[in-house]
Amino acid sequence: MSLHGMLSWLVVKCPWIPVLFLIPCCIIYDTIAFIRFRWASIFHSRDTRRHEERVQHVQEQVREWKKSGSTATMCTARPGYQSITLQTLKYKKSCQKIEINMPDIISIDTEKKTVRVEPMVTIGQLNDYLIGRGWTLPVVPELDDLTIGGLVMGGGIESTSHKYGLFQYICRMYEMVLADGSVVQCSRDHMTDLWVAIPFSYGTLGFLTAVDLDIIPFKKYIKLTYIPVEGLDNVVEVLEKETRDPANDSVEGILYSLNEAVIMTGVFTDECENWRLNKIGRWFKPLFHAHVKQFLKPEDTIPKVEYIPTLHFFHRHDKSCFWLVDYIVPFINHWIFRWFFGWTMPPKHAMIKILKEKFVPPNMLNQFVCQDLAVQFKHLKGLAELSDEMTKVYPIWLCPCNHLLTPEQEKFSMFKWNDLNVDFGVYGFTGVKSYHPVEGQKRFEKYMIDNEGFPALYAETQFTEEEFRQMVNLDTYERLRRELNCEGAFPHLYEKVSKLGRTSI
Ligand SMILES: Cc1cc2nc3c(=O)[nH]c(=O)nc-3n(C[C@H](O)[C@H](O)[C@H](O)COP(=O)(O)OP(=O)(O)OC[C@H]3O[C@@H](n4cnc5c(N)ncnc54)[C@H](O)[C@@H]3O)c2cc1C
């Protein structure tokens, strides 16, 4: 057997062995990134000249591309393995790569309550920086490695999204380099159509170079109430009731089977009842999804309350990437592992992606499902039943989200959004032998089209172009592409996100 064959066997059969061996590399990488970021935020914050030079560098590259008469479309030079999406980004090979080396926080304005950042800043870095100054973001997506650019262009959500909407709704201003090398800034009141069209455009309208984000005061704790619920109808009812309750700052649910869930509601506070304090982020603590499951007791359905340090709460799903790391390190929640090695988790996403792309045969992942599907409450039950019938993957993440566009802005939006939606996150290997990834995905997608829902586009999609157009309204997007000369400069959105489309780039 060749070395590659042996490594491939090891990665498939015992993925935790290579992962544990590579963890020191991840720690070194993270430490260097941390020192570099701290250095930049201490010595270069408010140094807007550095940012301007970087924008000029992007402009020069775009102008050179234009001058060269190249027929290849442009994309960011960020290697595909660094992107959180589980897709292999093959389109990068045929595109002209533009370096967007922009990893810094530019400035914070506590009067206006905004922070200006470059697109490669990660959500983990930004949140640490803000919390150190007594602030945070209204929406702090899970997984520290997500970048601001990726969250704007590809969408972001958190358990506060029922109140503040998706990540894009906390973005006041976008700065972009366009296909002709010029720079524009758009906001809610200036070039509103572009401001609405940038989110979910996946870098197909221009290169993002800066974003102004809303900030809110940081409160030290969240008072979290765990509500165990039995019966799917009750799950939908309780989740909807709590979502519509304005007193809740945070609402999410974890569905452990078709009939059992724990719905969690939270209120941020500076006060804490010490006897109820649970520092869930300490290295030896159980994984969050396992901790929450303990509240599912048929004989005791009374809601329980805990106070959790807010920073720990923000990272609650990070350690096991919801529940995905459990597949790679099956003993991650064992107390011996937690006490001795819990601090090393999670493994770096980029490392797992490299191992996957180099050593895992594609058919090994046929049983793997990774979908975020947004539906209105009235269609949640049907979606849960469909998912159960096809995949039996559990747990499932339930995260309500709001759509906060005014009617004036709404007319530029890609999505028809009539009411509050719930993100239904299916992540895991299905044990259903008859599950077929393409057919399964198509059934999910048909359910979305028939019920005015939409899947998150970072995952693989099987939409034909016609189906894709049925789901989204591309009028404003395509008008802007014509006006901003994007044709030939950037792939079309459908080409970039869809499996069928990507094969044609
Ligand atoms: C396992 C998993 C778990 C997830 N969990 C969550 C979650 O908890 N919360 C959440 O909100 N989301 C979650 N997501 C979705 C994730 O937020 C999106 O996939 C996001 O787009 C990924 O960001 P990234 O930093 O990896 O960006 P990338 O994947 O690198 O970029 C996304 C897109 O944006 C474009 N882009 C990025 N930067 C720029 C730029 N400067 N200019 C132009 N275009 C640019 C890229 O070309 C690409 O098309 C999850 C995804 C996965 C796979």
Side-chain angles (χ1 to χ4, degrees), residues 298-318:
E299 71 282 7
D300 177 9
T301 53
I302 298 168
K304 302 285 181 310
V305 173
E306 281 183 337
Y307 285 80
I308 294 175
T310 303
L311 189 56
H312 295 202
F313 178 76
F314 285 152
H315 292 142
R316 67 199 179 284
H317 294 300
D318 197 37

Side-chain angles (χ1 to χ4, degrees), residues 2-68:
S2 67
L3 181 63
H4 185 274
M6 281 195 296
L7 285 172
S8 190
W9 181 87
L10 194 65
V11 170
V12 170
K13 295 288 176 200
C14 305
W16 59 271
I17 297 179
V19 165
L20 291 189
F21 269 103
L22 288 171
I23 272 177
C25 305
C26 300
I27 294 171
I28 293 169
Y29 178 93
D30 276 345
T31 309
I32 294 171
F34 175 79
I35 294 170
R36 198 227 138 265
F37 181 76
R38 273 293 154 99
W39 178 274
S41 49
I42 293 169
F43 294 104
H44 300 301
S45 71
R46 297 176 185 273
D47 183 355
T48 47
R49 262 175 322 161
R50 270 166 71 90
H51 173 66
E52 281 157 20
E53 281 163 20
R54 286 171 180 168
V55 175
Q56 278 163 17
H57 180 54
V58 177
Q59 289 181 282
E60 280 157 19
Q61 293 175 76
V62 172
R63 287 188 184 127
E64 263 167 41
W65 165 85
K66 204 168 153 56
K67 217 162 49 185
S68 74

Side-chain angles (χ1 to χ4, degrees), residues 144-164:
D144 280 357
D145 287 347
L146 294 171
T147 60
I148 301 303
L151 287 164
V152 167
M153 292 290 179
I157 189 171
E158 230 315 288
S159 60
T160 51
S161 287
H162 70 292
K163 192 167 172 179
Y164 297 104

Side-chain angles (χ1 to χ4, degrees), residues 78 83-84 142 147 150 153 155-157 202-203 208 322 458 496:
R78 189 178 191 222
S83 159
I84 295 276
E142 293 291 337
T147 60
M153 292 290 179
I157 189 171
Y202 282 81
L208 193 66
F322 290 88
Y458 72 79
K496 202 154 177 196

Side-chain angles (χ1 to χ4, degrees), residues 375 379 382-383 386 443-451:
V375 284
H379 300 302
L383 179 58
L386 177 68
R443 281 187 70 191
F444 272 135
E445 287 170 359
K446 179 158 183 348
Y447 190 87
M448 294 293 104
I449 292 178
D450 291 347
N451 296 293

Side-chain angles (χ1 to χ4, degrees), residues 140-144 157-161 222 224 226 249-254 264 266 268 279-282 285-292 308-323 346 397-400:
V140 183
E142 293 291 337
L143 311 190
D144 280 357
I157 189 171
E158 230 315 288
S159 60
T160 51
S161 287
I222 183 164
L224 199 63
Y226 302 86
D249 292 327
S250 165
V251 179
E252 71 180 318
I254 301 182
M264 285 157 276
F268 292 107
K279 296 184 177 178
I280 58 167
R282 301 201 70 189
K285 287 282 184 169
L287 299 178
F288 186 65
H289 67 88
H291 169 65
V292 175
I308 294 175
T310 303
L311 189 56
H312 295 202
F313 178 76
F314 285 152
H315 292 142
R316 67 199 179 284
H317 294 300
D318 197 37
K319 201 190 231 175
S320 61
C321 189
F322 290 88
W323 25 88
W397 193 44
L398 302 173
C399 185

